[in-house]
Amino acid sequence: MKKNASAPRRPRVLAAALAAAAALVCGTGSALAAPAARSAPGAGSLTPEAVDRYVRDYLEDTALPGAVVAVTRGDRVVSVAGYGHTAAGRALTARTPVPVASLSKSMTALAVMQLVDAGEVGLDRPVRQYLPDFTLADPRAEGITVRQLLNQTSGMADSAHPDLVGPQPGSLTEAVAALRGVELASAPGTRMNYHNTNYAVAARLVEAVSGKPFAAHMAERVFQPLGMTGATTVDSTADMPEQARGYVRAYGRLIERDQPRWFTAGGFGVVASADDLARWLIAQNNGGATADGRRVVSARGVTTMHTPPRTPEGTAYAMGWTRSSEGAGPREIRHTGQLLTHNAAQTLLPDSRTGIAVVTNTGMVSGDDATLLAQGLADLAQGRAPDGGTPFTLQADYVLAALTLLSLGLGATGVVRSRRWARRAAARPWWRTALRTLPYTFPVAAFLLLGDLAGLLTRRGADLGMISYVWPALFVWLGVSAAASTAVLAARAVRTVRDRRVTPEVIEGPVEPAYRSGAVAAR
């Protein structure tokens, strides 16, 4: 029988569509991320009115549920405010405590630097000198210094110890003890790897040297002297206000979700208000002193915390801060923080001694609102109109919705046509059938390995459940594509097995009586 050249090649259609769709989604992130900027009255002057107008416009444009904002200049507070509401419906104000996520790292670094100022800790001394329990399976870990912990160049990494995946410790002591079987991902001092455990170890070092629980030390030596009366640090997200419940974005809508329990002490456990963050920013831009001149840490210590190390070459990460590249415009020192349900950003503009901090109750990637708000406020502070950027998922999710429907349609078509496919496959060599079937396994593998792929791309530990928070629409598309592919494979397998069990009589049809009697030969 001659093959029909126009017959559809179903084994290739779904995979080809998915590949094209992936390219389209990747392009969407940059193409749709920044819509036309809204006219920004007051741009160029960092006034309370300009800040308030910009933030309110952003909330209106994006339907952001809630945010707290602090803006300072020199030793003066420009604006502290809360906008919107928490997941439980409580109004956010300037005094509402919220999780600041990884902005906590710079606060842990300051606690260590205070011990350095007091001569109790040496930045270039081995961590084990102060914390004998800090033991890894890798002998190179004995040489890890305090500075390397804070610069995230210790050699520890999520690739060797994914701290957010799997059982969570209950205390700093347990977090350090969990490292005993861990290998280093690189030699100390040779590579920067962002890894929360560096700061858990730093926090345990503070406990060991000070002789006090980390939370008590932070309250007594950091928060109270800075006037951060509403700030505290907790051991897990379960201890945060409303258990850190917040929102994720999907298809232009906001979905309220619980934050999984993560151990947070040292790395991302601080809870603070906008008022607290304003006092924190003033000290950072005031050489370690409060607005009324009370010194909390040395000016030299602040400079050290804001300055990346010379080795490894090219790293921009300092001690809980990232410094902008030289010659890349006005100087900026910043850090971001993410939970699955909240995100935060803090920015220092040394040239004007401006400080900006924003925390929002939307999760990472699907709602990086804090970063966008902080950048818009930095634009205002530098005399520019904010560019009007919004989370790219507000547009990209609609592309993913279309792709999800496409995957469903292709899957349904493949199931309906499985009988015809099985008949054609019976006439082909087995290896050709296998090759045509192989593309259908790709969406299944991509979905099941999505957490690992995300971890590989970001060099952070992740699992499939986390992706459902990080980008729900992507999770749904890949999940539907995997289910559609599985349905097609199952339908074709069932049809192939059934056809093989059919008797020759059924295939060829009943034999005519004329053939049985020999009438054909007589004719």
Side-chain angles (χ1 to χ4, degrees):
M1 174 178 163
K2 186 177 180 180
K3 294 181 181 178
N4 182 0
S6 63
R9 297 178 178 179
R10 289 296 162 191
R12 301 176 184 173
V13 173
L14 183 57
L18 295 178
L24 181 59
V25 171
C26 291
T28 302
S30 58
L32 301 177
R38 174 189 289 224
S39 175
S45 57
L46 194 66
T47 64
E49 295 77 17
V51 171
D52 184 69
R53 186 181 302 113
Y54 169 68
V55 176
R56 290 187 184 281
D57 285 348
Y58 184 93
L59 264 69
E60 181 182 344
D61 290 344
T62 64
L64 175 64
V68 301
V69 176
V71 180
T72 64
R73 177 157 279 175
D75 56 7
R76 177 175 61 89
V77 175
V78 175
S79 177
V80 288
Y83 300 85
H85 57 83
T86 69
R90 297 185 180 91
L92 286 165
T93 72
R95 294 185 177 275
T96 304
V98 293
V100 305
S102 286
L103 308 195
S104 309
K105 290 180 172 65
S106 56
M107 301 176 191
T108 299
L110 187 140
V112 174
M113 192 59 67
Q114 288 175 325
L115 297 176
V116 173
D117 285 346
E120 299 179 60
V121 170
L123 283 176
D124 296 309
R125 301 299 299 171
V127 174
R128 289 194 64 186
Q129 177 176 327
Y130 311 102
L131 191 59
D133 291 343
F134 176 57
T135 303
L136 278 71
D138 195 318
R140 296 175 296 177
E142 295 182 7
I144 295 173
T145 67
V146 177
R147 186 187 301 274
Q148 289 165 347
L149 278 183
L150 301 179
N151 287 148
Q152 308 247 34
T153 59
S154 67
M156 294 190 290
D158 281 32
S159 60
H161 178 62
D163 63 295
L164 299 181
V165 179
Q168 297 289 293
S171 66
L172 287 168
T173 300
E174 290 181 17
V176 172
L179 298 173
R180 289 173 185 165
V182 174
E183 298 283 343
L184 293 180
S186 58
T190 62
R191 185 175 183 179
M192 185 271 174
N193 286 296
Y194 191 92
H195 186 50
N196 292 315
T197 304
N198 282 310
Y199 276 80
V201 175
R204 178 69 186 113
L205 181 148
V206 169
E207 285 189 334
V209 174
S210 68
K212 297 179 180 179
F214 180 65
H217 179 89
M218 291 293 289
E220 179 181 328
R221 294 290 303 277
V222 177
F223 299 143
Q224 290 177 12
L226 286 173
M228 299 170 65
T229 56
T232 186
T233 182
V234 298
D235 284 347
S236 81
T237 51
D239 303 318
M240 293 177 175
E242 300 180 14
Q243 293 75 52
R245 186 172 177 82
Y247 298 86
V248 298
R249 295 186 187 275
Y251 312 111
R253 302 182 66 85
L254 291 157
I255 302 171
E256 189 177 329
R257 294 198 67 176
D258 291 327
Q259 163 69 43
R261 183 194 175 278
W262 284 349
F263 180 74
T264 60
F268 53 110
V270 172
V271 174
S273 67
D275 185 70
D276 296 324
L277 291 171
R279 297 171 188 272
W280 168 254
L281 294 169
I282 287 173
Q284 294 298 312
N285 279 314
N286 207 28
T290 63
D292 59 6
R294 180 176 182 179
R295 181 156 299 284
V296 177
V297 68
S298 67
R300 180 179 179 181
V302 172
T303 299
T304 299
M305 288 185 286
H306 292 175
T307 305
R310 295 181 179 178
T311 56
E313 187 177 354
T315 182
Y317 197 88
M319 297 180 177
W321 297 94
T322 299
R323 196 178 190 97
S324 61
S325 302
E326 294 293 333
R331 290 186 299 159
E332 292 189 11
I333 303 170
R334 65 178 77 88
H335 204 283
T336 59
Q338 289 93 20
L339 298 179
L340 294 177
T341 54
H342 287 73
N343 68 102
Q346 61 180 359
T347 300
L348 305 176
L349 305 175
D351 296 337
S352 61
R353 295 177 62 211
T354 299
I356 299 163
V358 181
V359 182
T360 65
N361 54 4
T362 49
M364 64 174 79
V365 179
S366 69
D368 274 344
D369 298 280
T371 301
L372 293 167
L373 274 167
Q375 186 55 58
L377 292 170
D379 289 339
L380 276 178
Q382 295 170 10
R384 300 189 301 265
D387 67 4
T390 59
F392 77 95
T393 55
L394 289 179
Q395 292 83 26
D397 280 5
Y398 293 108
V399 177
L400 288 174
L403 295 175
T404 301
L405 293 175
L406 175 63
S407 296
L408 277 173
L410 292 173
T413 302
V415 170
V416 169
R417 297 185 177 182
S418 60
R419 182 173 185 177
R420 185 170 69 178
W421 179 92
R423 287 176 177 173
R424 290 176 176 169
R428 300 190 193 109
W430 69 267
W431 59 268
R432 290 190 63 187
T433 299
L435 286 177
R436 292 188 174 207
T437 300
L438 185 61
Y440 279 92
T441 66
F442 295 161
V444 179
F447 181 69
L448 295 177
L449 298 175
L450 186 56
D452 295 325
L453 292 172
L456 183 64
L457 292 173
T458 62
R459 292 167 56 191
R460 302 296 308 278
D463 58 23
L464 194 57
M466 290 169 64
I467 305 302
S468 72
Y469 284 82
V470 172
W471 195 350
L474 178 66
F475 177 87
V476 170
W477 172 50
L478 291 177
V480 167
S481 299
S485 295
T486 301
V488 171
L489 290 173
R492 290 178 175 178
V494 168
R495 180 56 61 182
T496 299
V497 171
R498 285 181 178 177
D499 286 354
R500 287 181 178 177
R501 290 179 178 176
V502 175
T503 64
E505 287 78 12
V506 174
I507 295 175
E508 299 174 5
V511 178
E512 294 294 335
Y515 283 83
R516 294 196 186 107
S517 63
V520 171
R523 293 176 189 168

